[in-house]
Amino acid sequence: MKRFVRLLLPATGLFTILLTAQCSMTREQEAPGMAARARLTEAQTAAAADPNQPATTADAAPVSAEATASVATPTPAPAAPVAAAAPMRRTNADYKADIRSADALLKTNPRNADALVTRGRAKAQLKDYKEAIADFNLALRVKPTNADAYYNRGLSRIQTREFNAAISDFGKSLRYRPEDKEAYFGRGVAKMSLDNFKGALPDFNKALSLDENYADAYEYRGICYSSLNKPEDARRDLEKAAKLNPEAAKSLRKYAKQ
């Protein structure tokens, strides 16, 4: 049996795929995936800390053309189309600023679960996973039904190699948010980390039933099929993943048997 070895690459592996807004083109453009929820929570925290500070382009929630048309005064069309600005990639300085903003909120309200989750997420991005888990634990003491806290704690527990605990966290997140494709994907990857490739398949299947263009789910399901010696299924999924996300071509070359 081929062992899956890509899961825990330090800065560019699973955690980046699951958590960052820049991880894949398909996830960046959709709502309400975890990338969008992360930006919204961060924007809310920053606004609460400093109401006079406007939201940045990276943190602002996208507004549809229809919604804009319903509230804005009509203006003449521009002479030429203007290209949309590329999403701003967040830096360590941004995450440290998130921590400071959350700290300010928590000084006045130590039971602010949203601030605890935001601070925990920022710590996780800075690779301080144990401290991140501590914040998610606190958030869950305040609000035991907080799906974001369970989800993000699951991500951090993958990084600390607590795979069974991560599986449990993703399951609890799904209890309160049953249509969250990211949580199904995360649970599937945690199972793969335990070489439970067969058990991971239903989670990737469910994620794909929620989003038929979910490139990462095709890629990881393809790797499962390869590990289960199902080369035709593996190639089909990996080729689909590579069409949706060129980065998956690496897995296609590695795991699709000739």
Side-chain angles (χ1 to χ4, degrees):
M1 178 180 291
K2 185 182 298 182
R3 180 176 175 82
F4 182 55
V5 296
R6 184 184 156 194
L7 289 176
L8 295 172
L9 298 180
T12 59
L14 166 70
F15 194 81
T16 302
I17 288 175
L18 284 166
L19 191 57
T20 62
Q22 295 82 18
C23 61
S24 74
M25 180 171 61
T26 55
R27 186 176 300 119
E28 178 62 31
Q29 294 174 345
E30 68 203 11
M34 280 305 302
R37 290 202 293 270
R39 290 195 298 271
L40 181 59
T41 301
E42 290 159 1
Q44 291 171 334
T45 301
D50 185 359
N52 297 319
Q53 182 177 354
T56 65
T57 301
D59 288 335
V63 180
S64 67
E66 293 83 354
T68 303
S70 67
V71 298
T73 302
T75 56
V82 178
M88 297 174 61
R89 189 176 296 275
R90 307 203 78 216
T91 66
N92 286 354
D94 294 321
Y95 298 123
K96 290 176 181 177
D98 289 344
I99 292 172
R100 290 193 296 271
S101 296
D103 284 343
L105 288 174
L106 291 165
K107 282 183 179 179
T108 58
N109 180 11
R111 295 177 59 82
N112 187 325
D114 290 337
L116 287 165
V117 171
T118 296
R119 189 173 70 179
R121 185 186 294 117
K123 290 177 179 178
Q125 287 284 11
L126 296 171
K127 301 181 182 180
D128 191 356
Y129 303 116
K130 291 184 177 179
E131 286 297 316
I133 290 171
D135 275 340
F136 300 137
N137 290 343
L138 289 173
L140 288 166
R141 291 178 190 172
V142 174
K143 187 179 179 182
T145 60
N146 192 320
D148 280 341
Y150 283 119
Y151 175 83
N152 283 282
R153 191 172 70 177
L155 295 183
S156 293
R157 281 177 161 168
I158 285 178
Q159 290 296 311
T160 58
R161 306 187 68 84
E162 301 172 86
F163 301 121
N164 283 314
I167 291 168
S168 176
D169 276 344
F170 291 126
K172 290 174 182 176
S173 177
L174 287 165
R175 183 185 306 167
Y176 303 110
R177 193 157 51 213
E179 299 301 303
D180 188 353
K181 68 173 188 179
E182 305 286 356
Y184 283 108
F185 178 74
R187 189 169 67 179
V189 176
K191 291 176 181 178
M192 289 177 71
S193 301
L194 296 171
D195 289 340
N196 183 8
F197 302 106
K198 186 176 181 180
L201 288 175
D203 284 323
F204 296 134
N205 292 342
K206 181 63 176 179
L208 286 165
S209 75
L210 294 168
D211 179 2
E212 62 182 8
N213 293 316
Y214 195 170
D216 294 331
Y218 280 116
E219 181 181 1
Y220 281 60
R221 189 175 71 174
I223 295 169
C224 281
Y225 281 135
S226 178
S227 299
L228 293 169
N229 198 27
K230 294 185 176 182
E232 293 181 2
D233 292 332
R235 177 168 288 279
R236 180 197 65 221
D237 273 1
L238 292 167
E239 287 178 347
K240 177 72 171 179
K243 288 180 181 178
L244 293 168
N245 176 19
E247 287 295 315
K250 298 174 184 177
S251 293
L252 174 61
R253 291 191 295 269
K254 183 170 184 178
Y255 292 101
K257 298 178 182 178
Q258 301 296 330

